[in-house]
C-alpha cells in the first residue's frame, strides 16, 4: 500500500539537513510519495524505516532488464500515465520474431539484416533491441537449433516463446549467463515456468485471459520467488489493446496495484499484415507496452516506429541538443558564409541537412540556446545579439574566415541592428525563415 507524504515524513529523520537536495524532510517526503526521487537520496534513513518505505518508494511498474553479451533491453520503472506529467523512462523494446520451423540459414539471414540495421536520427543511432524465437514445431531440438542460429547472427537479447517448459529449457541451454525473457506461463504450466525462470534467472512472461486472472497469477508466481514478470493481458486488436494497456497503467500508477505493476508485452506481429502490424505497434509504443514483438522487418516499417518511440521517450523538459560550436559543411573556405542557428537538435539537423544536400559550403555556428528552437529561444531571451556575438568571439570564427559575413535566421531579423552594433566589423545578413529555403538564398543572395 502506498504511503502518503505525511506518513513517509514521519519515518524520515526530520533533521532538515538538506543533503537529499531538498530544503526539508517534508519536501523530500512529498517528492518520494510522488515517486519523483529515490529513497537512496537520503543517507540517514534507518534500516527499519527503509523496510517500511521500500514498498512505497518502489516504482509502480517493476523494472525488467533483459541482458546478453553487453546489450540490454529495459522496460518498466514508469511513474506517470502521460508523458507531459514528467517523462517516460524506458523505451519499449522492439523485438523481431523468427520461428523454429524456418531453416537455420533463413533465420541467420533475417537476424543478420535486422542486427545490422541502424538509422541515424538527430545524432542518435536507432536500432531494434532483440529477437524472439517462437516454437512452432514443438520440438526442443528444433527450438535449440533456432536459438543457436539467432545467437550466431546477433548478440542482442532474446525472448523464448513456447508454452512447453521442456522446449523453453532447451532454448535456455544456449543462453547461459544471459537474462532472457521466457514466455509464457499460463494457468496450466505456471509452476514449471516459474521454476525455470528461477533456476535460470530469466524474466517470466505471464499470460491470462482477464486482468483479474492476471493479478491472481502474478501473486501466485511472486509467492514462488519470481518477481521479474512481464504480462500479456491479450488485447490483440486496437480497441482492446488500448483499453487493457490503459487500465493496467492506470491501476499500477494511480492505485499502486502491485499485482499488475509489470511491463506489458504486445504482439502486433500476430496481425500478419505488415500494415496492420505497424499501426498496432505504433499504438503499443504510445499506450503502454514494454516489449513489442514484430514479425515483419523492413526499413520502411521499422524506421517510423523507431522515430515515434524516440520522440515519445524523450524528456519533454529537456530538449534534445547538439553541442554548440562551429560545424563545417561541404568543406568551407575562408570566403564562405557563416550561418547561425541554435542548438535544438531538430533545428540544427534541418539547417545542416538542407545546406549539406545543396552541396554549398558554409560554416554553421551553433549557439547555446539551452536546446530551444530559434523563435522559442528568442522569445525566452536565450538567442539574442549579445549571445550570438559572444559565440562569434568564443568560437574564434574570425580566425577561420577572411570575409566576415554572418547570416541570421529570418525569424530573428529583428536582431540584425543590434548584432551590427555588437559586431561592427561583420556584414550582417538576414536569411530565410525556413531551412528549406536556405539553398536558394545562398545561391542567389550570397
Ligand atoms: S537528507 Fe534525509 S534527513 Fe536530510 S533533509 Fe533530506 S530527507 Fe531529511
Amino acid at each position: 500500500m502506498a504511503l502518503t507524504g505525511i506518513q513517509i515524513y514521519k519515518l524520515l529523520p526530520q533533521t532538515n539537513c538538506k543533503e537529499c537536495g531538498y530544503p526539508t524532510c517534508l519536501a523530500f517526503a512529498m517528492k518520494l510519495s510522488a515517486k519523483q526521487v529515490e529513497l537512496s537520496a537520503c543517507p540517514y534513513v534507518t534500516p527499519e524505516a527503509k523496510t517500511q518505505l521500500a514498498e512505497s518508494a518502489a516504482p509502480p511498474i517493476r523494472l525488467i532488464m533483459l541482458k546478453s553479451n553487453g546489450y540490454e533491453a529495459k522496460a518498466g520503472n514508469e511513474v506517470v500515465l502521460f508523458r507531459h506529467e514528467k517523462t517516460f523512462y524506458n523505451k519499449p523494446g522492439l523485438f523481431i520474431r523468427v520461428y523454429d520451423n524456418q531453416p537455420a540459414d533463413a533465420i541467420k539471414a533475417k537476424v543478420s539484416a535486422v542486427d545490422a540495421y541502424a538509422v541515424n536520427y538527430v545524432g542518435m543511432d536507432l536500432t531494434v533491441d532483440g529477437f524472439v524465437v517462437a516454437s512452432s514445431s514443438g520440438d526442443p531440438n528444433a527450438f535449440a537449433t533456432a536459438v543457436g542460429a539467432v545467437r550466431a547472427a546477433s548478440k542482442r537479447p532474446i525472448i523464448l516463446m513456447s508454452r512447453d517448459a521442456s522446449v523453453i529449457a532447451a532454448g535456455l541451454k544456449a543462453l547461459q549467463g544471459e537474462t532472457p525473457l521466457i514466455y509464457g506461463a499460463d494457468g496450466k504450466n505456471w509452476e514449471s515456468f516459474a521454476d525455470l525462470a528461477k533456476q535460470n534467472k530469466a524474466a517470466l512472461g505471464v499470460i491470462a485471459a482477464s486482468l483479474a486472472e492476471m493479478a491472481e497469477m502474478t501473486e501466485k508466481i511472486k509467492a514462488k520467488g519470481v518477481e521479474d514478470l512481464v504480462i500479456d493481458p491479450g488485447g490483440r486488436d486496437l480497441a482492446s489493446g488500448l483499453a487493457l494497456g490503459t487500465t493496467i497503467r492506470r491501476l499500477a500508477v494511480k492505485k499502486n496495484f502491485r499485482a499488475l505493476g509489470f511491463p506489458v508485452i504486445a504482439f502486433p506481429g500476430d496481425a500478419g499484415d505488415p500494415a496492420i502490424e505497424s499501426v498496432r505497434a505504433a499504438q503499443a509504443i504510445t499506450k503502454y507496452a514494454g516489449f513489442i514483438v514484430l514479425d515483419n522487418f523492413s526499413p520502411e516499417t521499422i524506421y517510423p516506429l523507431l522515430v515515434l518511440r524516440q520522440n515519445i521517450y524523450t524528456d519533454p523538459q529537456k530538449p534534445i541538443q547538439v553541442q554548440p560550436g562551429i560545424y563545417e559543411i561541404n568543406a568551407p573556405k575562408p570566403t564562405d558564409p557563416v550561418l547561425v542557428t541554435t542548438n535544438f537538435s531538430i533545428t540544427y539537423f534541418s539547417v545542416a541537412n538542407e545546406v549539406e544536400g545543396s552541396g554549398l559550403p558554409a560554416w554553421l555556428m551553433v549557439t547555446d540556446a539551452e536546446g530551444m528552437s530559434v523563435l522559442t529561444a528568442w522569445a525566452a531571451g536565450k538567442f539574442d545579439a549579445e549571445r550570438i556575438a559572444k559565440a562569434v568571439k568564443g568560437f574564434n570564427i574570425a580566425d577561420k574566415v577572411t570575409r566576415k559575413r554572418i547570416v541570421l535566421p529570418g525569424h530573428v531579423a529583428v536582431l540584425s541592428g543590434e548584432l551590427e552594433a555588437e559586431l561592427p566589423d561583420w556584414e550582417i545578413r538576414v536569411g530565410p525563415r525556413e531551412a528549406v529555403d536556405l539553398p536558394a538564398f545562398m545561391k542567389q543572395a550570397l
Side-chain angles (χ1 to χ4, degrees), residues 12-20 22 24-25 28 41-44:
L12 293 175
Q14 302 176 19
T15 56
N16 300 333
C17 73
K18 301 186 177 60
E19 280 187 47
C20 56
Y22 292 90
T24 61
C25 293
F28 180 74
C42 171
Y44 303 113

Side-chain angles (χ1 to χ4, degrees), residues 46 49 91 177 293 305 389 443:
T46 62
K91 290 181 280 194
V293 179
L305 294 177
K443 274 183 205 145

Side-chain angles (χ1 to χ4, degrees), residues 320-376:
I320 310 171
Q321 305 182 21
V322 293
Q323 189 67 24
I326 305 293
Y327 292 79
E328 299 181 13
I329 301 183
N330 297 327
K333 296 188 291 304
T335 49
D336 289 319
V338 177
L339 312 178
V340 182
T341 193
T342 67
N343 67 330
F344 177 44
S345 64
I346 293 177
T347 301
Y348 164 80
F349 281 102
S350 303
V351 173
N353 288 348
E354 289 297 339
V355 179
E356 200 173 322
S358 73
L360 298 167
W363 306 90
L364 179 56
M365 188 179 82
V366 175
T367 61
D368 184 359
E370 296 180 14
M372 294 181 209
S373 63
V374 168
L375 265 184
T376 313

Side-chain angles (χ1 to χ4, degrees), residues 95-104 106-112 114 130-136 143 145-151 158-161 293-296:
F95 282 68
I96 307 297
R97 181 162 53 183
V98 295
Y99 294 85
D100 71 349
N101 61 355
Q102 296 173 287
I107 292 176
K108 279 186 200 165
K110 181 172 182 178
V111 170
S112 297
V114 173
F131 298 91
V132 178
V133 185
S135 169
S136 40
F143 192 66
T145 304
V147 174
V150 173
R151 205 23 100 236
I158 288 181
I159 296 173
L160 300 176
M161 197 171 164
V293 179
L294 302 168
D295 276 349
N296 296 288

Side-chain angles (χ1 to χ4, degrees), residues 100-101 134-146 162 164 166-168 170-171:
D100 71 349
N101 61 355
S135 169
S136 40
S137 69
D139 174 7
N141 291 330
F143 192 66
T145 304
S162 167
D164 182 335
S166 67
V167 171
I168 295 288

Side-chain angles (χ1 to χ4, degrees), residues 325-329 332-341 351 355 361-367 388 391-393 395-409 419 423 426-431 438 441-442 446:
I326 305 293
Y327 292 79
E328 299 181 13
I329 301 183
K333 296 188 291 304
T335 49
D336 289 319
V338 177
L339 312 178
V340 182
T341 193
V351 173
V355 179
W363 306 90
L364 179 56
M365 188 179 82
V366 175
T367 61
I388 296 169
V392 165
K393 290 166 192 161
F395 298 139
N396 297 321
I397 184 71
D399 295 347
K400 296 183 187 294
V401 295
T402 49
R403 187 169 173 195
K404 293 182 173 177
R405 264 183 315 170
I406 202 162
V407 181
L408 280 176
L419 195 57
L423 300 171
W426 283 75
E427 177 189 347
I428 311 297
R429 305 289 298 272
V430 175
L438 260 172
F441 170 82
M442 290 169 73
L446 296 180

